Amino acid sequence: MSARDPADLLTVVHPAVRRTAVVLLHGLCSTPDELLTVQSALRTSGYAVHPLPIAGYSFDAGMPLQHALPYERWIDAIEARVKALRLQHDRVLLVGISAGSSLALGAAIRCGSDVDALVLMSTTLRFDGWAIPRTRVLLPLAFYTPLGRLWQYRECPPYGVKNERVRAWIERELRHRKVSRAGSSVLGVGHLREHDRLIRHVRRNLHRVQCASVLALHAREDEVASLANLDILARGLRCRDFRSVVLHDSYHMISIDNDRQQVARETVAFADAVAHAAAGGIGALPAHLLSA
């Protein structure tokens, strides 16, 4: 069977889907490759998908050293993209993983009603997973004092991945490159400090998120951030429809781990629900996607 021509796809995609844009926000000092499975599923369904590299946040292969910009500049970049997309689309959804989820929340706080819905994957508003050492309480000394000027965090197994085959592939990648599908091999103190500032800002202002619908996907065995992060979202957000999905066969990087196909399906189903509900009223939202 020959591949379908893109023009043919447009004839079968619902207009509400074509009028919905999705912005993908990868993790800290990483690349859009983290969300390739989700990106492919959304595009196949007819959505306008926009992976968003961000200066001073994303990994830049052209730079020998990765320099962080203030987190407010990260949000500036997302706000500019959201405003541009609103000129051509009726709805804009933000999809983020790990630090990208914090960024999505920060952008939603900034952009107000210009952001219609959020998909938050492996949200890390508190570092309390099973692999986080107790010494993490000392990190503010590295972030905010001269003691951390030369300090950096080096990624190590399990790299956020439960699947042993994928984990071995990541290890091979990092032997030859500075970045893999799971992110950069090294995180400098500048990026970590700005991420910490972003988390503090988001936690103080969760109640200001205006979008009506939020889907949160989180692994039960997340080694970086426990399921308590879902409780933080559920208590702090004031959205009408909040749904969480707990995944049972992944670690932190759920978009490339064993549950990646479920993550893609859940994201597309949520986007469909938001698009069609907006087109036909809240009654069009499938019952299983309404919050209890």
Side-chain angles (χ1 to χ4, degrees), residues 97-172:
I97 185 166
S98 190
S101 290
S102 301
L103 263 184
L105 288 163
I109 292 165
R110 170 87 67 84
C111 297
S113 59
D114 281 346
V115 172
D116 295 274
L118 302 173
V119 179
L120 307 175
M121 302 177 184
S122 305
T123 306
T124 309
L125 296 179
R126 187 168 77 186
F127 287 86
D128 58 354
W130 56 264
I132 299 299
R134 293 181 180 179
T135 53
R136 195 191 182 281
V137 298
L138 300 176
L139 281 182
L141 291 176
F143 294 168
Y144 300 107
T145 74
L147 292 175
R149 189 175 302 155
L150 301 177
W151 178 81
Q152 59 186 11
Y153 171 77
R154 185 170 296 277
E155 287 286 359
C156 59
Y159 306 108
V161 177
K162 185 175 184 180
N163 185 297
E164 293 184 2
R165 179 179 59 83
V166 176
R167 191 188 308 164
W169 175 72
I170 290 170
E171 286 185 314
R172 288 195 299 271

Side-chain angles (χ1 to χ4, degrees), residues 211-227:
C211 60
S213 300
V214 175
L215 171 65
L217 304 164
H218 210 98
R220 183 174 299 280
E221 297 180 83
D222 190 319
E223 85 282 11
V224 174
S226 79
L227 292 177

